[in-house]
Amino acid sequence: MEIVILAVVIAVVLVGAVSGLVVGGRRKKQLPPAERPSATPTITTPPAEPRVGDEAETPRDESRRTIEEVDLPTAEAPEAPPAEAEPAPAAPEVEVPEPTEGRLVRLRARLARSQNALGKGLLTLLSREHLDEDTWEEIEDTLLTADVGVVPTQELVERLRERVRVLGTRTPQELRTLLREELLKLVSTDAPRAVKTDNGLETPAVVMVVGVNGTGKTTTTGKLARVLVADGKSVVLGAADTFRAAAADQLQTWGERVGARTVRGPEGGDPASIAFDAVKEGIAEHADVVLIDTAGRLHTKAGLMDELGKVKRVVEKQAPLDEVLLVLDATTGQNGLVQARVFAEVVNITGIVLTKLDGTAKGGIVVAVQRELGVPVKLIGLGEGPDDLAPFDPEAFVDALIGD
């Protein structure tokens, strides 16, 4: 049995071997003879990528252009919107200042409200039935408190005592008339009070404004320009206060309001040079008046006085100096007299401008400063408004002091 199984296995192996030989022979007969490789290998172009929509389509030979040959669309620059012309700055509206004739009349009520304490106090004391020494001392104290000054006070009291003794009986109206006459004698002066703005020459009148910073000097210069324009004068302003910040801007603003040109220079520049240019421009424009605002640094007294003297000399090389107006703050009282003395040492002051002559100011300063300098008060300022500067009228002033 084992012999039979072994014989069967051998037979199966032999049959498989013969079958493999037969199949291998057939395959060798079907293969083509090997060709020799050519010297130059052939490179086959890879098939083109299928395009959208025609994946099964056979790629076609198409002429292709390089990017240099393709006309690309030119990008048109967006049209810029038309540039809007910047509007020219509007010229400041030129104001018409209030005429000077009616100013003090309008301001008289305001002056009376703030100043008639002096007049009323004197009238009350003089109306007493018995005017003894104590009463006369009270009268003196009232005048001194009002900044009239020692010498003018003594003179006024002596005259009042004499006239009251002669008068005998005293009615209220008689006392008012008596006091008005005596106060007018103190306030009045023979010197002309009008600001000199017509020198009779071909050159403009030159007015130099001096004073300590803080007294309202630059503002007064601007307000004076309004007064002159209201009187029909053409004005050129010289901003020679180059040491105070914004002084030139402030003065130019005042000038623009009334159509007056301002000549100015750099901050910290030479004041005399600016004053010289202002007068030169005034001559060229045939202006009626040149107003020169100057510096007022009293804390450097020597330097300030030297500078003012230089400005004065330089201006007089082109035209005579017609006015030197000293601006004083009426509320400073006797301290204003000290300032007046300092300025009078170096420049020939021809007139006084009293500012802030309302509120706490005392009317007697008018008398004291005129006596101290021997020059008249020409202008008074009674408020902050642009037209609150008026020519000084002694009669209107005294009437405001004693009230109605």
Side-chain angles (χ1 to χ4, degrees):
M1 187 68 180
E2 295 177 354
I3 297 172
V4 173
I5 294 172
L6 180 61
V8 172
V9 171
I10 294 171
V12 172
V13 171
L14 289 174
V15 171
V18 172
S19 298
L21 291 173
V22 172
V23 174
R26 287 180 180 179
R27 288 181 177 177
K28 287 181 182 179
K29 290 180 181 179
Q30 292 176 357
L31 292 174
E35 296 180 0
R36 293 182 179 178
S38 59
T40 304
T42 303
I43 298 175
T44 304
T45 303
E49 293 290 333
R51 294 175 295 182
V52 176
D54 54 4
E55 289 85 351
E57 182 182 357
T58 304
R60 294 172 293 183
D61 293 335
E62 296 179 355
S63 60
R64 300 176 182 273
R65 293 179 295 173
T66 64
I67 191 170
E68 289 81 2
E69 298 174 338
V70 177
D71 296 330
L72 298 176
T74 58
E76 296 182 1
E79 294 183 2
E84 296 182 1
E86 295 184 2
E93 183 179 352
V94 177
E95 301 175 8
V96 179
E98 181 182 344
T100 57
E101 290 79 5
R103 286 190 184 189
L104 196 55
V105 175
R106 178 178 61 83
L107 300 176
R108 179 176 171 180
R110 185 187 307 172
L111 181 63
R113 286 195 301 270
S114 61
Q115 297 296 328
N116 61 11
L118 170 61
K120 286 186 176 180
L122 291 175
L123 284 174
T124 300
L125 292 171
L126 290 171
S127 298
R128 290 180 180 177
E129 186 176 353
H130 300 289
L131 297 178
D132 53 16
E133 289 299 323
D134 291 340
T135 303
W136 288 112
E137 287 182 5
E138 289 185 49
I139 293 175
E140 285 189 3
D141 291 341
T142 301
L143 292 169
L144 291 173
T145 303
D147 288 330
V148 173
V150 176
V151 175
T153 294
Q154 291 174 347
E155 293 178 1
L156 178 58
V157 169
E158 288 300 322
R159 290 200 300 266
L160 285 174
R161 294 183 73 159
E162 180 65 25
R163 293 192 63 178
V164 167
R165 186 164 47 247
V166 172
L167 186 62
T169 59
R170 305 178 303 278
T171 65
Q173 186 58 42
E174 289 173 336
L175 286 175
R176 185 181 302 276
T177 302
L178 172 64
L179 185 58
R180 183 180 187 275
E181 292 174 356
E182 294 301 328
L183 288 175
L184 271 176
K185 290 179 182 178
L186 283 181
V187 175
S188 298
T189 176
D190 295 333
R193 293 189 183 274
V195 177
K196 189 175 181 182
T197 57
D198 186 2
N199 56 15
L201 305 175
E202 295 182 358
T203 57
V206 180
V207 179
M208 189 165 75
V209 183
V210 302
V212 176
N213 285 343
T215 59
K217 177 173 49 62
T218 300
T219 300
T220 297
T221 305
K223 289 183 178 181
L224 179 56
R226 294 179 66 89
V227 170
L228 297 175
V229 170
D231 290 339
K233 303 287 185 180
S234 58
V235 179
V236 171
L237 297 171
D241 185 358
T242 60
F243 300 106
R244 185 171 66 86
D249 293 336
Q250 182 183 357
L251 188 64
Q252 184 169 347
T253 299
W254 278 103
E256 289 174 347
R257 290 180 180 178
V258 292
R261 200 167 84 81
T262 302
V263 177
R264 55 184 297 179
E267 187 173 334
D270 181 19
S273 175
I274 296 171
F276 182 87
D277 291 341
V279 177
K280 182 178 179 181
E281 290 295 328
I283 295 173
E285 295 180 10
H286 303 287
D288 295 317
V289 185
V290 176
L291 295 178
I292 301 174
D293 180 30
T294 61
R297 303 167 300 157
L298 191 59
H299 62 280
T300 55
K301 173 182 173 181
L304 171 61
M305 295 302 111
D306 291 343
E307 197 66 61
L308 287 178
K310 180 182 177 183
V311 171
K312 180 177 181 292
R313 293 191 301 272
V314 168
V315 166
E316 290 177 334
K317 290 181 179 179
Q318 292 226 55
L321 188 59
D322 298 281
E323 286 274 9
V324 178
L325 297 177
L326 173 63
V327 180
L328 293 177
D329 183 344
T331 62
T332 60
Q334 295 296 314
N335 290 333
L337 298 183
V338 177
Q339 299 173 11
R341 295 188 194 104
V342 173
F343 283 93
E345 291 174 1
V346 68
V347 288
N348 182 27
I349 296 171
T350 60
I352 302 160
V353 182
L354 280 177
T355 63
K356 307 175 188 177
L357 195 61
D358 56 353
T360 59
K362 302 178 178 67
I365 189 64
V366 174
V367 177
V369 73
Q370 288 187 153
R371 286 293 188 94
E372 178 67 28
L373 299 182
V375 295
V377 172
K378 294 192 172 184
L379 297 165
I380 56 173
L382 299 173
E384 300 298 328
D387 292 321
D388 285 346
L389 184 73
F392 181 71
D393 183 346
E395 293 190 3
F397 180 73
V398 170
D399 288 341
L401 284 181
I402 62 177
D404 296 328

